[in-house]
Every structure is written in C-alpha cells, then in structure tokens.
Amino acid sequence: GKTTAQNRLATFFESLGWRVFRVPETATILLNGGISFALLTDEQRLEFQENLLKTMFQIEDTYFSLATTQNRNCLVICDRGAMDCSAYLPKQDWEKILEKNNLNEVDIRDNRYSQVIHLVTA
C-alpha cells in the first residue's frame, strides 16, 4: 500500500546516497490527540480543516527548509498533500478557507510540490 510505496521510494533514494525526510500525515497527528469528527459541529469541522491545512503547511515547510540546507541531494516525501483537505469539505467551505487565508488553489495544486504521486487503493 501507500506506506510500502513510501518506504521503497525512501530506501531506493537512500541507497543512492540521498538524504530522505518523511513528513508525517498531519491529520493523523491531530486526530490521535482525541478529536472525533462525529462529535464536531459543522462550524468546528470547518475550523479544524482550516487549522489542519495551516498545520500541514507549517510541518511541510519545516522539512522543506531543512532540505535546502543539506549538503547532498535530498528528497522530502509528504504522506499527504495540502489539496487533500479539499476532498473532505464542501467546495464552498474549501473556498472560504482559501479566501480567509489568502491562498490560491492552483498555486497549492501546481506549485507547492515538485512531484506528486497519486496512489490508488486496489
């Protein structure tokens, strides 16, 4: 599955002498803290998704920044991407989050990551 693919990719690049950083899935970090979607109101869910996106950006940026300081090739593998948040929201809520945070969907989708590998469950 997804974890196996990430591990194989990391192992391959590490065998070539690359430094590999693995960005953990932000939603899992937050949800493991006791948040239950079933207990949230619509407003709370929207706020959670907004904070999830901001947290994801911050965690990713930490790894991206560190990657630029390496003295060898470096690969950063993100478990999920920022566009994932849009799949869990009605379109109008996603657009509210983008507008409120001065974000552009095309910029997130097309410019945030150098390469995207979309894995599909068999």
Side-chain angles (χ1 to χ4, degrees), residues 3-4 13-14 19 38 40 46 48 53-54 61-62 70-71 80-81 89 93 98-100 102 108-109 117 119:
T3 301
T4 300
F13 278 94
E14 288 168 342
R19 179 67 197 231
L40 299 179
L46 180 61
F48 174 84
L53 183 62
K54 290 193 262 187
D61 288 347
T62 299
Q70 301 304 296
N71 57 6
R80 298 268 183 164
L89 291 166
D93 288 346
L98 294 176
E99 184 177 334
K100 181 177 176 185
N102 198 29
I108 295 169
R109 185 192 67 213
I117 301 171
L119 301 174

Side-chain angles (χ1 to χ4, degrees), residues 49-60:
Q49 289 292 348
E50 179 180 358
N51 285 317
L52 170 63
L53 183 62
K54 290 193 262 187
T55 303
M56 182 181 291
F57 281 151
Q58 184 60 55
I59 291 173
E60 288 177 355

Side-chain angles (χ1 to χ4, degrees), residues 36-114:
S36 171
F37 264 88
L39 301 177
L40 299 179
T41 66
D42 288 344
E43 184 178 312
Q44 290 169 328
R45 274 192 217 89
L46 180 61
E47 184 177 357
F48 174 84
Q49 289 292 348
E50 179 180 358
N51 285 317
L52 170 63
L53 183 62
K54 290 193 262 187
T55 303
M56 182 181 291
F57 281 151
Q58 184 60 55
I59 291 173
E60 288 177 355
D61 288 347
T62 299
Y63 283 89
F64 295 160
S65 178
L66 187 58
T68 65
T69 68
Q70 301 304 296
N71 57 6
R72 58 182 164 158
N73 289 330
C74 186
L75 174 66
V76 179
I77 300 173
C78 298
D79 188 288
R80 298 268 183 164
M83 287 300 299
D84 281 16
C85 296
S86 69
Y88 296 94
L89 291 166
K91 185 169 178 58
Q92 66 271 16
D93 288 346
W94 172 244
E95 290 171 351
K96 281 181 200 173
I97 290 172
L98 294 176
E99 184 177 334
K100 181 177 176 185
N101 292 279
N102 198 29
L103 296 169
N104 179 288
E105 182 175 81
V106 174
D107 188 50
I108 295 169
R109 185 192 67 213
D110 296 351
N111 299 318
R112 182 153 182 87
Y113 308 101
S114 298

Side-chain angles (χ1 to χ4, degrees), residues 4-14 20 75 77 117:
T4 300
Q6 289 177 13
N7 288 338
R8 287 186 180 172
L9 188 63
T11 300
F12 174 78
F13 278 94
E14 288 168 342
V20 178
L75 174 66
I77 300 173
I117 301 171

